[in-house]
Amino acid sequence: MTAPRRWLLAAFAAGAVGLAGWQLAVVFLYVAPANGVSKTHKPVIDGWIYPWFEQHWALFAPNPFAANYRIEARTSASGTWHDLSAVDNAAVRHSPYPARANQNLLRRAWKIYRDFGDRAVPARTERAELFRRYLGNIAAGRLEGLGERRGTYDALQLRITTLPIPAPGAASAPRPTRTVLPWWRA
Amino acid sequence: MKLLERASGTAYSLRSAAVLRIGTGLLSLAYLLRDIGDAGVLWGPEAYWTPEMALELNALNGWTGFYTVAVTESPVLWWVFYGLAVAVSVLFTLGWRTRVTSIAFAVLVCAVQFRTAFVNDSGDHLVRLLAIYLACTACGRVWSLDGRREWSPPLLKGENEELRRRVVTLTHNLALLVIAGQVMIAYGAAAMYKIQGSTWRDGTALHYALHLNAFTPWPELSHWVAGQSALILGLAYLTVFTQLGLPFAVFSRVLKYPFLIALLGSHAAIAVLMGLPLFSAAMVIGDMVFLGDAFWIGAAVLVKRGSGGRAPGTPRRDHRGEAAVLSRRSPG
């Protein structure tokens, strides 16, 4: 190629190499444990990463979660507690490729509500209120499958029992802890 | 300038790119079709994360426009969109008009994942990342419908065509480097987090992981494995060391193979024991970026010998002897 096109190619190459380097540098800073540089430049890093390049690699780390959740729900109509987690566990059992609705959905919704929600009804921030409604919708959907039809009750309530996994060789597990959420209007 | 000449003159690892394309396309199909029964409640108008809630949170995040393209109240529109995502995934896997299809694929994978971010896991994230990066590669040149087509005329004339080709080739090579870097960062970060954890250090991490209800489809087997303290200690250390070492091992043409085999083994175990086949497959597909064309040509020759025909993926329009050149120059 002659000079002008060679320079055009060189300019493109410089830009492309710069972009590739930038991509890897920002991804590295985003996934590495929080550090001085990533804390200072958090808005730039998050602005570049979300939502296109979102990724999380701290799987079962630093430590695997050492407990199981039992998420139960009841309605104002019947008052009977239904074990929603048991439904998920039964669906996962002996399935080589469990559905994400059973493996992830409810547990993740609870963790998001726990981490970003507040216990107020309605929640104090728009975001927290969204996560409260999301968890409530899933519970209502699951209750429907257990015979509690939508529209037959005014309110529903969730309680979450955290069941610690006993340490290897331990005779007994630490005591379970229980969180009871307020009644939510259906 | 000599480096630029080379980096824009030879498209490296075309076969690895093709394997990544086929793998990512199939994973996208698995993502969409496995949960077709739940598609309505995961992403559709009836979703627990309702269209209204999705729009509201995206607005709070400042994500408007494209990010909500898959959010709809209309069941008809949703199923058309879903069908389009499935169809494009098939075309991308087959490598049909890959230049255009790969971009459509990346856009649709992102759109579906952005619809309900809370149901995606790390495997899904990797599929999305690969979809975006692959749109910048020439992943449809071999082992594809495009590769079977007869030579098409150049798009431009003379030096403009050479410039276009060099831009495409350079972009392809850089995108593959970014994929390799991305996978190295993922393993490096995963190891970095694990060595901070007391249970990975004392070798009991798998005991807890194998007692999590969501990840024990075969509880009898999982609990038996969890009870073998020497085994789970060995597996925990092996996991940490292979993840930590992979970003360095891939620079060695010999050492990378045992590392990739160890990772393949651990992902196979995760797929079966923990009920995470899509996640495991996504990681294995990502690892494929480290296998150069020499490896794939060798594999194709073996398949050819076995079946007694033309090696699959030998493009008709390839120059004779390109395979030999590539196998000598293959960049690790």
Side-chain angles (χ1 to χ4, degrees), chain B residues 32-66:
Chain B
L32 292 166
L33 297 179
R34 165 62 182 93
D35 296 305
I36 192 165
D38 298 321
V41 296
L42 292 175
W43 308 293
E46 301 301 311
Y48 297 129
W49 185 249
T50 64
E52 174 215 340
M53 290 157 75
L55 292 175
E56 201 178 326
L57 184 65
N58 277 1
L60 287 173
N61 286 336
W63 299 340
T64 49
F66 173 76

Side-chain angles (χ1 to χ4, degrees), chain B residues 45-302:
Chain B
E46 301 301 311
Y48 297 129
W49 185 249
T50 64
E52 174 215 340
M53 290 157 75
L55 292 175
E56 201 178 326
L57 184 65
N58 277 1
L60 287 173
N61 286 336
W63 299 340
T64 49
F66 173 76
Y67 305 112
T68 52
V69 73
V71 180
T72 172
E73 301 265 6
S74 152
V76 176
L77 264 182
W78 157 249
W79 285 107
V80 167
F81 184 84
Y82 180 88
L84 192 65
V86 171
V88 169
S89 298
V90 171
L91 293 178
F92 180 71
T93 307
L94 296 174
W96 183 79
R97 310 267 169 191
T98 317
R99 177 55 58 208
V100 176
T101 308
S102 65
I103 294 168
F105 177 73
V107 166
L108 287 167
V109 165
C110 291
V112 175
Q113 288 203 11
F114 296 164
R115 167 63 184 84
T116 311
F118 308 120
V119 299
N120 301 322
D121 67 15
S122 293
D124 308 325
H125 291 164
L126 185 58
V127 169
R128 168 169 40 76
L129 294 168
L130 290 175
I132 296 171
Y133 297 143
L134 283 173
C136 304
T137 67
C139 58
R141 294 250 180 105
V142 297
W143 291 338
S144 63
L145 292 179
D146 287 350
R148 300 175 70 89
R149 250 205 310 278
E150 293 306 318
W151 179 255
S152 50
L155 291 172
L156 301 170
K157 287 204 180 88
E159 290 210 326
N160 286 336
E161 172 64 11
E162 190 189 342
L163 179 62
R164 185 192 72 81
R165 274 170 196 254
R166 284 187 178 274
V167 164
V168 167
T169 303
L170 183 71
T171 309
H172 161 85
N173 289 334
L174 276 172
L176 278 184
L177 283 179
V178 169
I179 294 175
Q182 167 72 66
V183 175
M184 286 152 80
I185 289 171
Y187 281 123
M192 219 165 158
Y193 280 111
K194 285 191 181 76
I195 53 179
Q196 294 178 49
S198 58
T199 56
W200 287 99
R201 293 200 302 263
D202 70 21
T204 59
L206 293 176
H207 164 83
Y208 296 100
L210 291 168
H211 278 94
L212 292 171
N213 290 334
F215 304 109
T216 47
W218 319 99
E220 305 80 6
L221 179 61
S222 292
H223 295 168
W224 179 82
V225 174
Q228 310 302 309
S229 55
L231 178 65
I232 60 167
L233 169 73
L235 289 176
Y237 282 9
L238 189 69
T239 304
V240 172
F241 290 142
T242 47
Q243 291 187 342
L244 200 58
L246 180 97
F248 308 99
V250 293
F251 288 99
S252 157
R253 280 171 200 207
V254 180
L255 199 56
K256 70 177 174 185
Y257 291 105
F259 273 78
L260 290 173
I261 290 167
L263 285 170
L264 181 71
S266 73
H267 286 127
I270 289 169
V272 175
L273 270 182
M274 310 197 77
L276 290 167
L278 193 143
F279 164 77
S280 301
M283 296 306 294
V284 170
I285 295 297
D287 294 346
M288 296 292 121
V289 75
F290 299 114
L291 295 174
D293 268 358
F295 175 89
W296 295 114
I297 290 165
V301 166
L302 280 181

